[in-house]
Each structure stands twice: as C-alpha cells, then as structure tokens.
Amino acid sequence: MVSPSVDAPSPVPPDPVATIVRLERRALRERAARREAEALLEARSQELYEANVALTQLAGSLEAQVEARTRELESAVARANEAARAKTNFLATMSHELRTPMNGVIGAAQLLVGTPLTPEQQGHAETIRASGELLLSIINDILDLSKIEAGHLVLESRPFDPRASLASIDSLLRAAAARRGIGFRVRVDDSVPDLLLGDDMRLRQVLLNLASNAVKFTSQGGVALRLAAGVPDGEGRVPVELTVADTGVGIPGDRMETIFEPFAQADASTAREYGGTGLGLAICRRIAALMEGSLEVHSEPGVGSAFRLRWRASVVSDAAATRPSGAPAPSSPSFSPSISSSDAAGASAAAAADAPALRILVAEDNEINRTIARALLGRLGLQAEVAEDGQVALDKVRDGRYDLVLMDMRMPRMDGLEATRRIRALVLDCQPRVVALTANAFEEDRQACLAAGMDGFLAKPYRLDDLARLVDDVRAQRVPGLA
C-alpha cells in the first residue's frame, strides 16, 4: 500500500532583529576587546618608555661613574708615580748625603793607616776604616734593595772572566777564613768558558755575600766555592751553576725560605751574635731573578749549608770581548773587588817617579773631600789643583792644560755635568780625561755622566787603589808603555 506523500517544511527565514542584536553584541565584544588590547598596548608602551628612560638615566649614571672612577684611577696613578719619583729623589739625596761624609771618614782612615803610628794607634785607625767599610756596605744594601723594589736596578751585559771573579773573592776572604781557623777552597771546572756575557759586578756582589756569610757562620771545617757549566745550547748559552758550601751552623728547615726575606735572619740571636741587616740574601735572590736564574739553599742544622746559584749565560768569543777604545770601565758603589792595600798605590807611586808629572784638577765643593782627594793623590806622588765649583773648573781648564779632571756632580753655580759639556765644547790642544768623582752613585747617575762627555765614573767613598788604577790608566794614555 502506498503511503501518501508529505511535503518537507520550508526553512524559517532569519529574524532580522535577532541578527542585528547578535551582530551588535559581537561588535560590542570586539570593541571591548580592542579597547582592552589598546589599553594593554598603551600600558606596555608606557612600561617600555619608562624602562627606556630608566635605562637612559642608568647609562648616564654609569657613564658618569666610569668617568669619575677613571679620574680617580688617573689621579691614583699620578700620585703613585709622584710617590715613586719622590722615593727615587729621596734615595738619591740620601745616597749623596750619606756618601759625602763617608768619603771623608774612609778617606781619612786610609790616610791615617798609612802614617807612622804605634801598634795601638794603628789598630784604632784600622778599626775606623773597617767600621766605615761596614757602614758603607749597610748603606749599599739598603739602597740596592730600594732600587730593586722600585724596578730601577738594571743588570749590565759585558764580557767578563768568571775565573777572575772567583779569584777576587778568594783573595778577599781567604785571610778571613784563616783567622777563623777554617779552610777556604775555590774550584772552577774546566767546563766553564773563559768568557761569559753578564754583569760581573753584580755577580761578584752575590759571590761575596754568599761566601762571606759562609765564612762568618763557620767555626770549624771550611768553605768551598765551585763554578761549573753545562753543554752550550744552539744559541751559544750555557747553564752555569755556582755552589757555596760550608760546614757551619746550618739553617732550621722552617726558616729555609724566610732567610731570603728582607731584614729576616734565621734566628733572632743571629744579629746579636753575627751582626748584619738581613738584607744580603734578599738582594742576592732578587739579583738572581734579574739574571733569569734562581738561588736555592739546602741546609742541615749543625752540619752546614749549600747555596746554589743557577743561570744561563752567553759564551763570548775572544774577538767579541775586546772593549772599544775609550770605553769606560764599569763602576758601582755597591761592590768593589779590592780592599784598600798598598800594592797598587805603591806601584803607581813608583811609576810616577819615572813618568812625566800629570796635571790634575779636583773639582769639588766640599772642603773635606777636596783635602782627602789631594792627600790620596799625594800618596801616589801627585799634586792636584782644586776648583770649588763647575764654573771655576771650566775657567781653569780653559786657561791651563790638564791631563785629568776629577769632577763632582753636585756643585753650586755650575754642576759637574754642565761643566763637562762646556769643557768638551772648548777648542783645546788636548782634551783632559774627565772622571766623575761623586756621591751620586746610582746607575742613572753614571749614565748621565757618560752622556755629558765624561770618560769614567768613580763613586764615593773611593779607595786609594781606585785612584791608583785611574792614574795609571791616564798615564798609559798620555805616555804609552809607562803604566
């Protein structure tokens, strides 16, 4: 049976009012969302603006702080540099002021020792001389340490004979060891080259300090110095080792490194019993560091000590070792390889008897030091004229012929440097040898003297032997073959 068909219902047309309401609601929601987004964007923009302002202010503040800190640091550096200059000037002044009277003390003692005296008087005079030498060594130690700490100590690089260096220490200390009843032995291995490149004066300073300490702290047995060298490398440098061994009191293990500190000694009683400032080993280790080497110690209380200095040195050929004509020999106040004796002075005086007289001028503003210089030259059979300042020295050289001018650096009216420059500018038949005889004893003082035209440098206090060698050198140049 067929069901009758039913028609599908027609779609209901949308209600316009409802549609409008729905759209209005949507529009309201969208406007509300947009306003919220705009408000959020505005808030975020405000936050970004405020953050940017804060960062700009912070950057400005930081820049101002950096500038202020930079100015503070620049000011601190300037103050530090000024303090360093003040320290250097103070040391130079103190060195000069201390050495000037020391020259009078040691010079007068040398003169006194050479006069006819009773045994008791001779002993007193020798005590004055020895005490003056000891005081000078303490002054030198303090100034050397100050120069090292300030970075002003620079090692020279010259050819030297290491065997002669040890021989000089041997001649200095063998008698002192004998007086203590101990042995003193020096050995240089065949492996050591004949000539090395380095600062011989500073090496001898280390040698003398280590060896004299060894003698001082040894009452039985002996002291042995040994110099050895290894195989040269491809650059012509050899490892060198210097050992100073003794059979003395030794050093406790907990004090092994302390002894290298300034003013430190192995025991509080050391200074009372043996004397000394405790500066020597500190200076030695720092010189070793300047040599790019090391200074170490091995010791056992009651058995003895062994100090080892190790460094690398360049080997020098004989041809390269020749000193250029007229080049000044190195000189320094901190160490003199000779102790005043009559040998060199006697030889110089004997040579003076057969040689043409030398005309010598001593330019010195200190009356005591003028007297000392003339008296010491008199021991060499020489007479000298004097000038109280650089201007007088210049006038005398202009008007008369001199073979040697001993020139002080610090003088009123005209100092020794300016006087030397003006002397060198004079047209003379023969320019004199001009040698600094000065209490300005720093290396920069020596360089300044040489730059001004001086031929050599002798620091106060100087010894009769120093003058004798200087005079012999001048005499040899004036009359070859006499020295």
Side-chain angles (χ1 to χ4, degrees), residues 406-439:
L406 299 176
M407 184 75 76
D408 190 20
M409 278 185 70
R410 292 189 183 184
M411 291 183 289
R413 291 214 297 168
M414 183 185 294
D415 64 29
L417 298 178
E418 181 62 22
T420 301
R421 283 190 285 265
R422 297 196 183 189
I423 288 172
R424 293 310 185 209
L426 295 175
V427 179
L428 303 172
D429 292 337
C430 183
Q431 278 279 348
R433 286 286 297 276
V434 180
V435 175
L437 198 61
T438 175

Side-chain angles (χ1 to χ4, degrees), residues 143-365:
L143 293 174
D144 273 351
L145 184 64
S146 299
K147 285 189 288 184
I148 292 172
E149 289 180 341
H152 294 158
L153 184 66
V154 179
L155 299 188
E156 294 186 349
S157 184
R158 297 174 181 270
F160 71 95
D161 180 354
R163 289 172 173 79
S165 301
L166 266 74
S168 69
I169 304 303
D170 187 13
S171 64
L172 279 171
L173 296 179
R174 182 172 292 278
R179 286 194 296 270
R180 292 183 61 82
I182 61 175
F184 193 84
R185 182 166 52 88
V186 175
R187 173 184 170 187
V188 180
D189 289 3
D190 293 339
S191 59
V192 177
D194 292 334
L195 291 171
L196 296 175
L197 193 66
D199 194 325
D200 181 37
M201 186 272 295
R202 292 297 175 183
L203 176 61
R204 294 188 191 207
Q205 182 179 355
V206 174
L207 270 169
L208 180 61
N209 190 285
L210 297 179
S212 60
N213 275 353
V215 171
K216 181 167 64 174
F217 291 107
T218 302
S219 58
Q220 59 182 359
V223 175
L225 279 65
R226 180 185 177 188
L227 188 65
V231 179
D233 60 19
E235 299 178 351
R237 290 162 57 89
V238 296
V240 186
E241 180 178 286
L242 170 71
T243 304
V244 179
D246 64 62
T247 57
V249 297
I251 305 165
D254 60 346
R255 303 290 294 174
M256 207 76 75
E257 286 301 313
T258 308
I259 60 173
F260 292 106
E261 296 298 323
F263 306 105
Q265 293 181 324
D267 187 86
S269 63
T270 299
R272 292 194 299 270
E273 183 175 355
Y274 298 101
T277 61
L279 288 175
L281 290 177
I283 294 171
C284 288
R285 174 164 276 189
R286 297 188 189 196
I287 290 176
L290 290 173
M291 295 167 65
E292 299 182 356
S294 64
L295 177 62
E296 308 296 337
V297 60
H298 174 76
S299 185
E300 188 175 341
V303 176
S305 305
F307 287 82
R308 288 185 176 85
L309 171 65
R310 295 185 177 96
W311 80 102
R312 300 185 72 84
S314 296
V315 181
V316 183
S317 65
D318 292 339
T322 304
R323 185 190 302 275
S325 177
S331 176
S332 171
S334 297
F335 175 79
S336 174
S338 63
I339 289 180
S340 182
S341 68
S342 60
D343 295 343
S348 183
D354 299 325
L358 294 179
R359 290 203 65 192
I360 300 175
L361 177 66
V362 176
E364 168 68 68
D365 64 314

Side-chain angles (χ1 to χ4, degrees), residues 415-474:
D415 64 29
L417 298 178
E418 181 62 22
T420 301
R421 283 190 285 265
R422 297 196 183 189
I423 288 172
R424 293 310 185 209
L426 295 175
V427 179
L428 303 172
D429 292 337
C430 183
Q431 278 279 348
R433 286 286 297 276
V434 180
V435 175
L437 198 61
T438 175
N440 292 66
F442 285 4
E443 173 60 21
E444 51 264 36
D445 298 319
R446 187 175 77 88
Q447 294 297 335
C449 289
L450 300 181
M454 297 190 192
D455 301 285
F457 183 89
L458 197 58
K460 298 173 183 174
Y462 54 90
R463 298 165 178 82
L464 184 58
D465 286 355
D466 299 327
L467 277 181
R469 283 189 291 269
L470 175 60
V471 167
D472 287 344
D473 186 32
V474 175

